[in-house]
């Protein structure tokens, strides 16, 4: 399947040969990441893009990747690029939601679109173009979507199934969900980097965590220290990641090379999403074999998360109309695509349940 996709992309991009030249590459980039290099957030989400660049553009571009904390702290990947510490980043916009709430639409808008819906928004409903303009204007960065993952789960020391269950909970999280926990659900968000999550959760510093999907959470060993799993977590149906370069540097690259990199980022998004889905299918069977008590979020909780996120988004958009017009512009585009996608989902992707 991947070979067929690769051949199609090669024809589309006009790449005549996959052979790597023996000569030195024209571009040597240092990439900084937010997670360590053994995490699925690197192995599944980032490595496919690196592999595609090496496969198609290896005679021109060499990318050396660094995990979170090697070149820069995981929270500071965008800043590392802005400050010249790294040439590029592959990271989640969740860590810059506090700087601009509009970043939530890529990282994970609570109660928002599935990963499949987000891919539709990015590539067929104008999302990628808007996001690129947004980051160039607000951060001086040129960004491309590269990699998406499916829904997450919550792991906790007490059952989390209803709105009432969230009250008073110390919850490790990041992004817009942290804001909603505090303002709408009377909980206490705790924002720490991934390297600190296991120890904090094991020692009871937090009551609940969200980190990733089932496969990554089992890989991290969280099932050995939690008692409950909320599946799926209503705050995240999918999230995606961005590649980022300084905009002024990106503009110096040859136009044909920029087009090829954008094409490879799009292909890597498909690579990652398919792999992530396969891993989640396999991991769900493993989850049933753990000692965790699995609970399903109530419909009321799921709807409360969606409603609270949308209300907060448009409240902030109104308050920031003059200083941050991007928030409403992106919100209208995102929720418009979400409504269109959801209204036709059962028709376009019907599921047979014998």
């Amino acid at each position: 399947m991947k070979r067929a996709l690769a051949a199609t992309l090669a024809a589309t991009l006009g790449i005549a040969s996959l052979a790597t030249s023996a000569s030195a590459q024209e571009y040597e980039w240092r990439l900084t990441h937010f997670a360590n290099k053994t995490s699925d957030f690197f192995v599944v989400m980032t490595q496919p893009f690196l592999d595609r660049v090496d496969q198609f553009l290896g005679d021109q571009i060499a990318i050396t990747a660094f995990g979170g904390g090697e070149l820069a702290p995981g929270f500071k990947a965008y800043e590392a690029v802005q400050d010249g510490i790294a040439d590029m980043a592959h990271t989640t916009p969740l860590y810059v939601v506090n700087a601009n709430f509009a970043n939530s639409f890529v990282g994970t808008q609570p109660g928002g679109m599935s990963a499949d819906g987000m891919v539709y928004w990015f590539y067929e409903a104008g999302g990628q173009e808007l996001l690129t303009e947004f980051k160039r204007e607000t951060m001086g960065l040129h960004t491309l979507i590269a990699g998406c993952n499916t829904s997450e789960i919550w792991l906790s020391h007490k059952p989390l199934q209803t709105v009432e269950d969230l009250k008073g909970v110390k919850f490790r999280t990041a992004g817009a969900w942290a804001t909603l926990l505090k303002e709408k659900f009377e909980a206490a968000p705790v924002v720490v980097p991934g390297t600190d999550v296991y120890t904090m959760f094991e020692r009871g510093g937090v009551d609940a965590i969200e980190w990733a999907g089932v496969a990554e959470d089992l890989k991290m060993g969280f099932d050995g220290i939690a008692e409950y799993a909320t599946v799926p977590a209503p705050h995240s149906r999918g999230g995606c990641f961005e590649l980022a370069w300084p905009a002024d540097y990106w503009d110096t690259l040859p136009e044909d090379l920029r087009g090829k990199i954008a094409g490879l980022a799009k292909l890597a998004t498909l690579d990652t999403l398919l792999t992530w889905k396969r891993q989640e299918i396999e991991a769900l069977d493993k989850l049933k074999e753990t000692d965790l008590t699995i609970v399903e979020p109530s419909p009321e909780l799921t709807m409360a998360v969606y409603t609270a996120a949308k209300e907060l988004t448009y409240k902030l958009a109104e308050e920031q109309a003059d200083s941050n017009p991007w928030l409403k512009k992106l919100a209208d585009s995102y929720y418009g695509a979400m409504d269109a996608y959801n209204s036709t989902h059962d028709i376009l992707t019907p599921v047979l349940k014998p």
Side-chain angles (χ1 to χ4, degrees):
M1 176 66 174
K2 287 185 178 179
R3 288 183 179 177
L5 287 169
T8 300
L9 186 69
T12 301
L13 298 181
I15 301 172
S17 173
L18 302 184
T20 300
S21 169
S23 62
Q25 290 92 337
E26 298 174 63
Y27 304 96
E28 296 183 359
W29 295 334
R30 295 169 301 163
L31 178 149
T32 190
H33 202 272
F34 69 93
N36 65 62
K37 293 172 71 175
T38 62
S39 167
D40 280 351
F41 285 130
F42 185 92
V43 175
V44 178
M45 301 298 286
T46 304
Q47 195 62 50
F49 174 75
L50 299 177
D51 291 343
R52 292 302 188 184
V53 169
D54 185 60
Q55 180 183 13
F56 290 110
L57 299 172
D59 58 339
Q60 291 179 271
I61 300 173
I63 301 176
T64 302
F66 295 86
E70 294 183 43
L71 278 182
F75 283 177
K76 302 291 186 180
Y78 290 112
E79 290 183 23
V81 177
Q82 291 170 324
D83 294 341
I85 296 171
D87 302 297
M88 61 182 296
H90 191 214
T91 189
T92 169
L94 283 175
Y95 297 146
V96 289
V97 167
N98 285 343
N100 194 317
F101 198 83
N103 286 294
S104 179
F105 296 116
V106 177
T108 288
Q109 175 70 347
M113 276 192 272
S114 67
D116 290 351
M118 293 177 74
V119 168
Y120 161 72
W121 177 50
F122 295 143
Y123 299 123
E124 297 297 330
Q128 175 68 90
E129 291 83 359
L130 273 177
L131 289 163
T132 298
E133 292 176 27
F134 162 59
K135 283 292 173 62
R136 289 178 74 95
E137 182 174 306
T138 60
M139 298 182 73
L141 298 173
H142 184 90
T143 62
L144 296 170
I145 301 302
C148 294
N149 61 285
T150 57
S151 62
E152 297 185 354
I153 65 174
W154 293 343
L155 293 159
S156 57
H157 297 308
K158 57 173 285 188
L160 300 178
Q161 199 168 15
T162 68
V163 172
E164 189 68 24
D165 291 338
L166 289 175
K167 290 184 178 179
V169 170
K170 291 181 289 183
F171 205 127
R172 183 276 159 195
T173 187
W177 180 231
T179 303
L180 287 174
L181 279 169
K182 181 179 180 180
E183 295 194 7
K184 300 292 185 178
F185 295 100
E186 301 179 45
V190 179
V191 181
V192 296
T195 51
D196 298 335
V197 176
Y198 186 97
T199 302
M200 177 172 282
F201 190 37
E202 181 183 35
R203 295 178 179 176
V206 290
D207 306 306
I209 64 169
E210 57 83 11
W211 175 243
V214 180
E216 172 73 355
D217 283 342
L218 293 181
K219 181 179 177 180
M220 295 285 286
F222 291 139
D223 58 298
I225 53 176
E227 287 99 327
Y228 297 89
T230 303
V231 184
H235 81 292
S236 175
R237 292 187 178 88
C240 300
F241 299 80
E242 288 183 321
L243 296 164
W245 295 262
D248 55 358
Y249 174 76
W250 175 266
D251 292 342
T252 68
L253 299 176
E255 184 176 356
D256 66 325
L257 183 60
R258 297 199 302 262
K260 291 172 183 177
I261 294 170
L264 295 177
K266 185 175 181 179
L267 178 56
T269 296
L270 178 60
D271 285 337
T272 63
L273 186 53
L274 291 173
T275 301
W276 197 278
K277 285 185 175 184
R278 174 182 56 77
Q279 289 195 170
E280 289 299 280
I281 290 170
E282 296 169 354
L284 283 167
D285 286 334
K286 296 178 183 178
L287 182 68
K288 298 172 185 175
E289 299 172 359
T290 68
D291 294 329
L292 291 165
T293 299
I294 301 172
V295 300
E296 184 177 349
S298 68
E300 291 78 15
L301 174 57
T302 299
M303 184 54 66
V305 172
Y306 163 79
T307 302
K310 190 171 184 179
E311 288 178 351
L312 177 61
T313 297
Y314 277 101
K315 175 177 178 289
L316 292 174
E318 183 177 354
E319 293 172 352
Q320 301 171 13
D322 294 331
S323 61
N324 183 24
W326 281 106
L327 182 51
K328 186 175 188 304
K329 188 182 298 187
L330 282 162
D332 288 345
S333 177
Y334 178 92
Y335 281 111
M338 182 177 179
D339 290 344
Y341 185 83
N342 288 348
S343 68
T344 58
H345 183 268
D346 291 342
I347 299 171
L348 297 177
T349 56
V351 176
L352 177 62
K353 296 182 178 181

